[in-house]
Amino acid sequence: MAAIRRTERGFSSDLTAVVDCAKGPFFVKAMRNRPGGRRESLIRERRINGYLGHVSPPLLWDVEAEDWLVLGFDVVDGGSSDFAPDSSDLALVVDAIGEIGRLPLPQIAHDWAETRWDRFASDSSEAELFRGDSLLYTDINPSNFLVMKRRVWVVDWAWPTRGAGFIDPALLVIQLIAAEHTPGNAEKWAERLPAWRGAAPQAVDAFAAANLRMYQAAVDRKPDVDWLKAMVDACRAWTEHRGVSVE
C-alpha cells in the first residue's frame, strides 16, 4: 500500500509529492512528457544530479514513459531557509553556495551556456562578462535551500548552466536585499565566496543592471504580481548602491 502526500513546493512541475511505499519514501517530481522547456528542465535535473556530490538529495530512480517523465529523489525532511538579516541559516546558505562553486564543471554541462541575461545587457560586450566555465545553479531563493539538522540541501536543479562564477553569489545578493538586508550587508555575505571576491566590478555592475531590466520587463508584462515588483525594488536598491545608472 502506498500513500501519496502532495507538497507545497514544485511550482514548475506538474506533480510534486512524497510517496510512502515499501521501498520508499521518495520525493517525486513528474512532468507531462511533452516537448518544450519544462520537459528539458527536468531532463537537465536528471542528468546533473550525479555530479552534485552532497549538495543535493540523490536521484534514486527515474521513469520516462509516453505520457510522463518522473524522477524519484531521497526525501529531505527539512524546511525552507530563512534569508532575513538575523537568521542563523545565512551562514549555512552561503556555505552551500560555496560548495556549489567548488564543483567541477561536468562534460555534460559544457553546452549549457548561460544566456538568459544576454538580452538585458546593454550590449554584447557586457553579455560576454557573464561567460565562464563554472557550474551555476541560478535558482537561489529560500524555498530551494532546505535546512535539516544544521545543514542545507540545495534542491530543484531545474536549469543548471555554465557561466561566470560570480553569478550565483550575485543572485544571492538580490535575494538578501529582497529579504530586507541593506545592499552593503548583502554584499558582505557574498564576500565570503571566492567567486565573488574574484569578480571584476564592471561585470557585477553589468549583471546588476541586467537583472533590474529583466525584472522590470517582467513587471511590465505582469503588473499585478507582487513578488516581481519586490524583485524590481531589490534590484534598483542594489544598482543605486553600486552607483550604476540603468536606462
Side-chain angles (χ1 to χ4, degrees), residues 1-6 17-26 28 61:
M1 181 68 69
I4 300 175
R5 173 168 49 88
R6 296 289 295 267
V18 174
V19 177
D20 286 301
C21 59
K23 296 185 177 180
F26 305 109
V28 172
W61 51 265

Side-chain angles (χ1 to χ4, degrees), residues 227-239:
W227 76 267
L228 288 174
K229 290 187 277 189
M231 296 309 295
V232 168
D233 291 342
C235 291
R236 181 174 292 112
W238 191 28
T239 56

